[in-house]
Amino acid sequence: MSDSVSVEAAVRSHRPYLVNLAYQMLGDVGEAEDVAQEAFLRLSRVSQVDDVRAWLTVVAGRLCLDQMRSARARHEQPDESAALDVVPARDADPADRVTLDDEVHTALLEVLQRLSPGERVAFVLHDVFQMPFEEIAEAVGRPVGTCRQLARRARAKFSEASPRAADVTDVEHRIVAEKFIAACANGDLQSLTAVLDPTVWGVATFVGGGPPQINHGRDAVAPNLLRFLGHGLTLVTGPVGEILGFAGSALSVVLVLTVHEDLIIKIEATVDPSAANRD
């Protein structure tokens, strides 16, 4: 993989996925981007990789695990709630359409903070990203049976925290969201259109007021999304399946996707236009 063209292709294909993966474990978009950058740097130094995505996943998992262990050793706790703080719109009525479940948010974030580094990595890689335990064992540096137990313990803590916690990693929704993020990150209109239902409609409500912006049909929705999300925003999935868009370290947009039969039928967004000026 020392070929610069091959590495460039890997970055284009896998960077959105890798940043999202690291964000699920670290809860900080800046740190997640640093992990992705380091993983690709290491990729450029190896001679041959059979499965690039799997290799990057293992490397990113190790990097996140090391970072979490280091933070725990320093008795630091990441402030994940700050990353999800959205200033409510003054005109709350249209924003109600994209209000997230605060109770589930709080429960999930509290549990993430209580998980050990090993539990968090095992849970995110297996339950969220469907990675086999044999590969997780390589990332965590523990036997396969131990990794299964780590994920089981993490899953139990989520279930205890909220009756709905076990349902937040819906596989269909995750796969569609991943395709959506990759298409937006790469400015790929064709791939973005492919995950939208022909009758999709989107509505954006702006923090601080102003009329909502509404589009109908994928031929109108897809180009508008790329115009709006293609200007340096980093997209990741949040704890209950919503998509978070960061301008630097500032949360700029929260998107809620409604998915039916592997296609997005509705996109509801809350947008903070001032976020770019706060970073």
Side-chain angles (χ1 to χ4, degrees):
M1 290 299 297
S2 57
D3 188 318
S4 61
V5 176
S6 298
V7 174
E8 182 180 339
V11 171
R12 178 174 175 82
S13 297
H14 303 298
R15 187 181 183 280
Y17 158 80
L18 213 61
V19 171
N20 189 25
L21 174 77
Y23 177 80
Q24 306 310 309
M25 294 185 237
L26 300 175
D28 183 283
V29 71
E31 293 178 358
E33 290 177 325
D34 289 344
V35 164
Q37 182 175 349
E38 176 63 23
F40 285 113
L41 180 62
R42 296 188 182 191
L43 179 66
S44 69
R45 296 170 179 165
V46 299
S47 59
Q48 182 176 353
V49 175
D50 293 330
D51 187 334
V52 173
R53 184 183 175 102
W55 189 93
L56 288 168
T57 299
V58 170
V59 171
R62 288 175 179 169
L63 291 170
C64 290
L65 183 61
D66 290 344
Q67 190 156 328
M68 285 185 286
R69 284 172 173 167
S70 177
R72 177 159 292 199
R74 297 192 306 269
H75 304 290
E76 296 177 358
Q77 290 294 333
D79 184 10
E80 296 179 70
S81 60
L84 299 176
D85 183 26
V86 185
V87 180
R90 294 171 186 170
D91 182 4
D93 187 40
D96 286 342
R97 288 175 291 184
V98 290
T99 297
L100 304 177
D101 192 324
D102 293 334
E103 180 181 348
V104 176
H105 260 302
T106 302
L108 291 174
L109 292 171
E110 288 179 352
V111 174
L112 278 173
Q113 291 176 348
R114 292 202 303 267
L115 295 181
S116 71
E119 287 172 343
R120 189 185 294 199
V121 171
F123 175 78
V124 169
L125 289 180
H126 182 265
D127 285 50
V128 180
F129 289 90
Q130 310 298 303
M131 187 173 176
F133 279 114
E134 289 76 13
E135 295 178 25
I136 296 173
E138 185 179 354
V140 177
R142 296 189 182 185
V144 174
T146 301
C147 293
R148 292 182 188 275
Q149 183 63 29
L150 288 170
R152 189 178 301 117
R153 288 206 306 257
R155 201 177 301 120
K157 290 178 182 179
F158 271 90
S159 297
E160 291 169 3
S162 169
R164 290 176 53 189
D167 299 326
V168 299
T169 56
D170 176 79
V171 175
E172 178 191 44
H173 191 284
R174 180 191 63 79
I175 292 173
V176 172
E178 184 179 316
K179 291 178 179 178
F180 178 91
I181 289 173
C184 291
N186 291 321
D188 189 338
L189 180 61
Q190 183 176 356
S191 295
L192 179 58
T193 303
V195 298
L196 301 179
D197 186 86
T199 62
V200 66
W201 65 278
V203 55
T205 302
F206 297 90
V207 172
Q213 181 176 330
I214 301 174
N215 289 283
H216 293 275
R218 62 186 177 191
D219 289 339
V221 171
N224 189 64
L225 283 169
L226 289 186
R227 282 194 297 270
F228 178 70
L229 300 177
H231 298 287
L233 290 185
T234 298
L235 302 179
V236 295
T237 52
V240 289
E242 76 281 17
I243 292 178
L244 311 175
F246 289 89
S249 60
L251 184 60
S252 175
V253 59
V254 178
L255 301 105
V256 178
L257 309 181
T258 301
V259 177
H260 178 66
E261 295 182 350
D262 298 326
L263 292 175
I264 300 169
I265 61 174
K266 181 168 63 173
I267 302 172
E268 299 168 285
T270 298
V271 183
D272 185 354
S274 69
N277 299 322
R278 296 202 311 268
D279 184 44

